Amino acid sequence: MTDNERSDQQVQEKQQTLEEVVANRRQKLEELRQAGINPYPYRFDKTHAVDEVLAAFDKLAADGTVVRMAGRMMLKRKMGKASFADIHDQTGKIQIYVKQDNVGADVYQMFSKLDLGDFLGVAGTLFVTKTGEKSVHVNELVLLAKSLHPLPDKHAGLVDKEMRYRRRYVDLIVNPEVRETFIRRSRIIQSIREFFNSRGFLEVETPILQPIYGGATARPFKTHHNTLHTDLYLRIADELYLKRLLVGGFEKVWEFCKDFRNEGMDRLHNPEFSMVELYWAYADYTDIMRLVEDMFRKVVFDLHGAYKIRYEDHEIDFEPDFRRVSMVDAVREKAGFDLIDMDYATARKAAKAAGVDVDKAINWGKVVEACFEHFVEPTLIQPTYITDFPQEISPLAKVHRNHPRLVERFELFIAGLECANAFSELNDPDDQRRRFEAQAEAAKAGDEEAHVIDEDYLTALMYGMPPTGGLGFGVDRLVMLLTGSHSIRDVIFFPQMKPEREE
RNA sequence: GGGGGUGUAGCUCAGUGGUAGAGCAUCUGCCUUUUAAGCAGGUGGUCGAAGGUUCGAUCCCUUCCACCCUCACCA
């Protein structure tokens, strides 16, 4: 080799930056095409998934069955004229053994140049190596898709959280536990659907684009319809539409809904998130409590085959009846004072003396809520229904049958997380109008999240809505609980991120 | 919005007031039962961005950007 040739070779060997690695893979792509190989063929006849092969390995190996498998090459160990490689499919990974004698020199030459990340299809028989690894003895090998972008470190994987969220597809390739979390998410959703459908609830769909938002207290995302020349809002809740369906004569409806709230983001909040809402005519909030308990037990058991789970250092048991305690009683237990008969000023004084921050508690209900959050909420580890909320903080719930200051409402807490919210729904149109008007006052006083008056909804109530129990729960939080995830971002495939800046 | 942390090669990470290192990936060679294959050799960086201090900054200071944690806010 002359000096000139040597330096040419060194120039050609330069491929350090990402751009150059990609360029090198493109070069291989071109070489494949020159050799008459389509690097992106159309299909592959696959007979077995990895888990199927591993489950029936002994029999398939003994029979000499030819299996046809496909997946992404994640590791490659080349030893001259024979190689091992690990192929991953959705169900797992398996080792393949590619020997020049078996596949032929041309195919082996091609295989030698394939990169980690390429998709392969192989056909072959099964055998166990000297070291005991279940493997595929490949007789036929085809490239199914060329990968141009290198994968993260084969051992350390991808750790950087920003990259994992922004490029979830890479996260999924290299971090198998992420895939497992999302498979569980899917199972949970299936289990919920089975439960409600089996109880005779009709799964329905209601608008995401709404002219007036409502059903929750939150700031909305606003958009514009060009042809109608009108502003629209992405829904913050489905409640008011589902209840219109009860006016219309449906008795048991529910919906899996994506809701959107234009608020802060943290480990429990993503601007777009999944809820289930459900409405049940002729039922009240005690019926809903029984329903929720049954649903949680089914979902937990379907997923874990047991009623006990672990979450963040707690063992949580779904088998016993969920505890029920009213909000003021819960505060009395922990704080030692009883708010139920105090007026606003007295309650506020008592709360302040106990160290509760009541600066923003503008009425009795808000004081009760502040005391509850201060003293009680963090202590609610086992599934607990907190019932009978103050009226001021519950504009869509019916007044309590035994107490005028309270409404028939509960929230379910598990592991300190708020996991469900339900009422005996307010169906008195005049009372509903008064509650909306109180919200409008609050909005005027600067509450950006107060309810807007929805005249059409009030009209619907005037036609008459049966007594109804209603429920809402956050699907993402339930998935967090059941998958041991600390952040909502770990149970949403593509959580909201700030757009990357163009450099 | 407050506080704390992180940002160095494609990935995972060391490191230093005198313009940088490892492992993996990648490239070349050898190797027909390896498995984080091995062995030998090679390439690779505007040390997040912009200012400042300094003879000299990746390191010290300021500001900014992104992400993480946490508190606050928030059905």
Side-chain angles (χ1 to χ4, degrees):
Chain A
M1 188 185 278
T2 69
D3 283 343
N4 267 345
E5 280 168 344
R6 194 185 309 276
S7 79
D8 281 353
Q9 189 185 349
Q10 278 173 353
V11 169
Q12 278 180 350
E13 284 170 12
K14 269 191 145 206
Q15 30 219 312
Q16 305 76 14
T17 65
L18 176 60
E19 288 72 22
E20 284 165 327
V21 172
V22 171
N24 181 258
R25 291 195 179 197
R26 286 190 184 285
Q27 174 65 31
K28 290 175 177 176
L29 193 69
E30 199 41 49
E31 286 166 11
L32 287 164
R33 287 192 167 119
Q34 295 295 331
I37 295 166
N38 180 0
Y40 299 104
Y42 292 89
R43 64 184 309 281
F44 180 77
D45 273 317
K46 190 179 145 181
T47 60
H48 291 77
V50 167
D51 63 344
E52 293 168 342
V53 164
L54 294 178
F57 191 88
D58 292 344
K59 183 177 185 306
L60 293 170
D63 292 351
T65 305
V66 173
V67 297
R68 297 178 61 82
M69 308 177 73
R72 190 191 287 275
M73 180 164 67
M74 295 298 288
L75 287 176
K76 189 174 167 188
R77 297 174 287 279
K78 189 182 167 193
M79 300 161 304
K81 296 184 175 59
S83 298
F84 289 94
D86 286 3
I87 300 296
H88 290 213
D89 74 7
Q90 190 185 309
T91 67
K93 64 176 174 185
I94 194 163
Q95 175 171 272
I96 63 171
Y97 179 55
V98 185
K99 193 161 64 161
Q100 179 167 295
D101 295 349
N102 284 75
V103 295
D106 289 349
V107 170
Y108 192 77
Q109 176 69 13
M110 177 202 75
F111 174 74
S112 298
K113 290 192 172 179
L114 294 183
D115 294 298
L116 299 187
D118 288 350
F119 279 92
L120 307 182
V122 298
T125 52
L126 303 176
F127 76 110
V128 179
T129 64
K130 279 179 187 168
T131 50
E133 179 93 10
K134 293 172 179 172
S135 308
V136 183
H137 201 108
V138 174
N139 293 313
E140 215 183 302
L141 183 144
V142 288
L143 174 64
L144 294 178
K146 184 70 191 158
S147 164
L148 294 179
H149 195 297
L151 290 169
D153 185 285
K154 68 186 183 187
H155 190 239
L158 186 64
V159 170
D160 180 67
K161 282 198 180 177
E162 179 179 1
M163 190 67 96
R164 291 180 54 195
Y165 293 141
R166 287 195 194 276
R167 298 193 184 172
R168 180 70 89 182
Y169 40 91
V170 182
D171 192 24
L172 287 163
I173 291 168
V174 299
N175 293 319
E177 71 282 2
V178 175
R179 177 170 47 218
E180 185 55 35
T181 294
F182 285 97
I183 290 171
R184 285 180 175 193
R185 180 179 177 118
S186 178
R187 286 202 194 118
I188 289 164
I189 286 169
Q190 185 185 339
S191 185
I192 292 167
R193 182 166 273 134
E194 281 170 8
F195 178 80
F196 289 134
N197 290 347
S198 76
R199 294 288 181 111
F201 287 86
L202 188 72
E203 187 173 357
V204 298
E205 293 173 277
T206 61
I208 293 171
L209 286 174
Q210 303 179 349
I212 296 173
Y213 59 94
T217 54
R219 284 148 68 188
F221 287 94
K222 191 175 177 180
T223 185
H224 187 79
H225 192 292
N226 293 336
T227 308
L228 294 177
H229 304 294
T230 187
D231 287 338
L232 293 170
Y233 301 92
L234 273 61
R235 69 180 168 203
I236 57 172
D238 304 36
E239 173 146 359
L240 301 184
Y241 281 93
L242 288 170
K243 288 200 276 196
R244 281 173 172 94
L245 297 181
L246 275 87
V247 170
F250 288 104
E251 295 181 359
K252 297 167 90 173
V253 297
W254 73 288
E255 179 169 16
F256 252 118
C257 38
K258 275 281 173 73
D259 292 343
F260 306 85
R261 297 186 185 177
N262 204 342
E263 294 180 334
M265 295 156 56
D266 57 35
R267 77 175 190 94
L268 295 173
H269 299 85
N270 193 63
E272 107 181 56
F273 62 102
S274 297
M275 293 255 294
V276 163
E277 289 200 32
L278 171 146
Y279 295 87
W280 181 5
Y282 313 116
D284 67 12
Y285 74 146
T286 63
D287 296 301
I288 300 288
M289 282 189 232
R290 283 190 291 276
L291 184 76
V292 167
E293 239 171 289
D294 289 347
M295 185 207 77
F296 268 79
R297 288 202 188 97
K298 173 185 160 56
V299 172
V300 169
F301 195 86
D302 283 354
L303 199 68
H304 292 281
Y307 292 109
K308 287 181 184 167
I309 65 162
R310 288 205 66 81
Y311 185 75
E312 312 251 297
D313 300 331
H314 302 297
E315 184 180 77
I316 295 157
D317 189 353
F318 290 86
E319 195 160 22
D321 289 343
F322 294 4
R323 187 179 176 225
R324 302 180 186 189
V325 58
S326 81
M327 185 175 274
V328 285
D329 286 347
V331 170
R332 184 166 40 87
E333 281 175 17
K334 297 290 180 192
F337 52 83
D338 194 341
L339 294 160
I340 192 68
D341 292 321
M342 292 184 189
D343 62 20
Y344 168 55
T346 312
R348 191 187 163 96
K349 205 175 292 175
K352 197 157 190 170
V356 182
D357 178 8
V358 287
D359 290 350
K360 289 179 182 158
I362 54 168
N363 54 45
W364 178 79
K366 297 259 188 190
V367 173
V368 174
E369 186 182 34
C371 290
F372 169 75
E373 286 171 3
H374 182 85
F375 289 110
V376 185
E377 201 172 311
T379 70
L380 299 175
I381 303 304
Q382 295 305 317
T384 305
Y385 290 124
I386 296 296
T387 67
D388 303 339
F389 283 50
Q391 197 179 124
E392 295 97 324
I393 60 170
S394 314
L396 298 166
K398 206 171 200 169
V399 172
H400 196 281
R401 64 196 75 185
N402 298 323
H403 206 296
R405 295 183 106 172
L406 305 177
V407 294
E408 297 199 353
R409 171 180 178 184
F410 73 79
E411 285 187 351
L412 171 62
F413 288 87
I414 303 169
L417 294 178
E418 181 194 322
C419 287
N421 182 24
F423 333 130
S424 297
E425 299 293 336
L426 176 53
N427 61 344
D428 173 342
D430 294 334
D431 192 8
Q432 184 65 77
R433 178 173 292 279
R434 282 193 293 276
R435 306 280 195 92
F436 275 155
E437 281 166 356
Q439 288 288 304
E441 286 300 313
K444 250 185 241 172
D447 185 349
E448 285 187 274
E449 303 195 332
H451 258 89
V452 187
I453 298 182
D454 186 336
E455 287 293 344
D456 180 70
Y457 178 66
L458 290 169
T459 301
L461 289 187
M462 287 174 68
Y463 279 90
M465 184 175 90
T468 296
L471 165 70
F473 65 87
V475 173
D476 308 292
R477 287 189 191 175
L478 176 59
V479 175
M480 284 172 63
L481 196 64
L482 298 186
T483 58
S485 301
H486 180 71
S487 167
I488 195 168
R489 291 183 152 187
D490 295 326
V491 299
I492 293 176
F493 269 130
F494 302 101
Q496 195 62 47
M497 303 286 284
K498 249 184 217 188
E500 282 184 287
R501 313 190 98 220
E502 304 258 337
E503 292 299 333

